[in-house]
């Protein structure tokens, strides 16, 4: 049987405590008003976190590595990363994704609350940068060969997060 899963307790807690809800909490709300994590088979994934359903650590390592390989050659996005080596940014994004989807809490343990909009504030992120970020993330996600429901769940989050990071608009 297919059913909507209730959010894991860590997602529910972060949703309630989030200062920057656009960047930290799932924004999709189910029919009953609960935060929607996604549609999954209750028989196969009853006790699994989204992190585990996606494939755990290796999935996120590969996704983020594919993404940053593209960023390294992108003339619009690469200048947004002040560090000469993209390695530290790759590690931070991987840790964030792992924690967001129910994996290890290493990101918050090492860096505190994500505060994504605040952390991205110093960088001019316009619609072109957002669209390129999404293009590279879509390409990296396509290489993962996820089942359609998991791909959709991840993609909806990525689109929402990318839109939330835009801090320079064409009319400014």
């Amino acid at each position: 049987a297919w059913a909507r899963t209730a959010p894991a307790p860590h997602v529910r807690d972060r949703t309630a405590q989030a200062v920057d809800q656009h960047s930290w909490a799932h924004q999709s709300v189910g029919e009953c008003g609960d935060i929607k994590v996604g549609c999954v088979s209750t028989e196969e994934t009853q006790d699994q976190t989204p992190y585990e359903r996606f494939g755990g650590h290796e999935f996120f390592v590969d996704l983020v590595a594919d993404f940053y390989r593209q960023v390294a050659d992108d003339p619009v996005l690469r200048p947004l990363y002040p560090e000469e080596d993209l390695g530290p940014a790759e590690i931070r994004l991987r840790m964030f994704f792992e924690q967001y989807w129910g994996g290890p809490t290493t990101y918050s343990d090492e860096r505190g609350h994500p505060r994504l909009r605040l952390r991205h504030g110093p960088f001019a992120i316009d619609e072109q940068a957002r669209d390129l970020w999404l293009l590279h993330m879509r390409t990296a996600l396509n290489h993962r060969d996820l089942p359609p429901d998991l791909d959709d769940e991840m993609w909806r989050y990525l689109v929402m997060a990318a839109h939330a990071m835009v801090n320079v608009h064409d009319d400014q």
Side-chain angles (χ1 to χ4, degrees):
W2 291 89
R4 293 197 189 279
T5 59
H10 69 279
V11 173
R12 202 175 306 120
D13 292 345
R14 289 190 192 120
T15 300
Q17 297 171 2
V19 173
D20 185 357
Q21 295 205 355
H22 289 291
S23 61
W24 187 237
H26 287 283
Q27 298 297 304
S28 178
V29 179
E31 293 86 15
C32 300
D34 358 345
I35 301 299
K36 179 178 177 274
V37 173
C39 295
V40 296
S41 168
T42 55
E43 295 168 5
E44 297 174 16
T45 60
Q46 201 168 37
D47 296 322
Q48 288 187 320
T49 64
Y51 170 81
E52 294 164 327
R53 289 195 323 265
F54 283 117
H57 179 74
E58 290 308 313
F59 169 84
F60 290 100
V61 166
D62 293 343
L63 176 71
V64 173
D66 281 355
F67 170 75
Y68 275 104
R69 273 192 287 279
Q70 296 170 81
V71 168
D73 295 326
D74 189 294
V76 174
L77 293 183
R78 182 59 186 96
L80 294 176
Y81 294 85
E83 297 165 310
E84 189 173 321
D85 177 12
L86 289 172
E90 184 175 329
I91 291 168
R92 290 189 299 269
L93 181 59
R94 179 197 36 87
M95 289 188 314
F96 171 77
F97 280 168
E98 288 179 327
Q99 179 171 314
Y100 179 85
W101 292 103
T105 60
T106 311
Y107 184 94
S108 287
D109 294 345
E110 291 183 9
R111 299 180 53 81
H113 189 284
R115 301 183 324 245
L116 294 183
R117 288 183 55 84
L118 179 68
R119 290 182 195 270
H120 289 81
F123 310 104
I125 302 171
D126 61 11
E127 293 170 5
Q128 179 188 23
R130 175 202 64 207
D131 292 347
L132 288 167
W133 190 92
L134 284 169
L135 172 69
H136 299 319
M137 196 56 79
R138 180 70 256 175
T139 301
L141 191 56
N142 286 347
H143 290 130
R144 306 286 68 79
D145 197 31
L146 288 171
D149 60 326
L150 291 178
D151 185 273
D152 182 60
E153 185 175 359
M154 175 66 74
W155 184 244
R156 282 183 290 117
Y157 167 75
L158 294 170
V159 169
M160 182 274 302
H163 280 264
M165 293 302 104
V166 172
N167 57 19
V168 174
H169 299 276
D170 291 338
D171 57 352
Q172 290 180 335

